[in-house]
Amino acid sequence: MEILNEDWEGEDVWYVDDPRVPPSIRDHGARFRNPARYVIAVDGDYLLYGADGELLDLCCLR
């Protein structure tokens, strides 16, 4: 996968439809004007990125 954002260097970047991404996180990412396409999981938190590499949100499960 091409690195679109310098935050991605050394990280395991997933596509938003990857089965490791919880459905509630995937649904949240779909709500943005620029929907989430990529996810990085960090210690139970999820960073959502758009197709252009823009950071959209940092979220976690409750």
Side-chain angles (χ1 to χ4, degrees):
M1 178 178 304
E2 179 184 355
I3 294 179
L4 299 176
N5 186 308
E6 64 186 30
D7 296 343
W8 297 10
E9 290 185 34
E11 297 293 340
D12 187 16
V13 181
W14 305 335
Y15 288 105
V16 75
D17 58 355
D18 188 294
R20 296 174 286 185
V21 178
S24 59
I25 299 296
R26 189 177 305 124
D27 293 344
H28 176 64
R31 294 183 184 125
F32 291 91
R33 181 176 36 84
N34 174 20
R37 183 168 299 169
Y38 306 106
V39 177
I40 296 176
V42 180
D43 298 327
D45 295 329
Y46 297 87
L47 294 120
L48 302 177
Y49 290 88
D52 59 358
E54 174 189 6
L55 176 62
L56 301 172
D57 200 7
L58 167 64
C59 49
C60 62
L61 297 175
R62 291 189 209 182

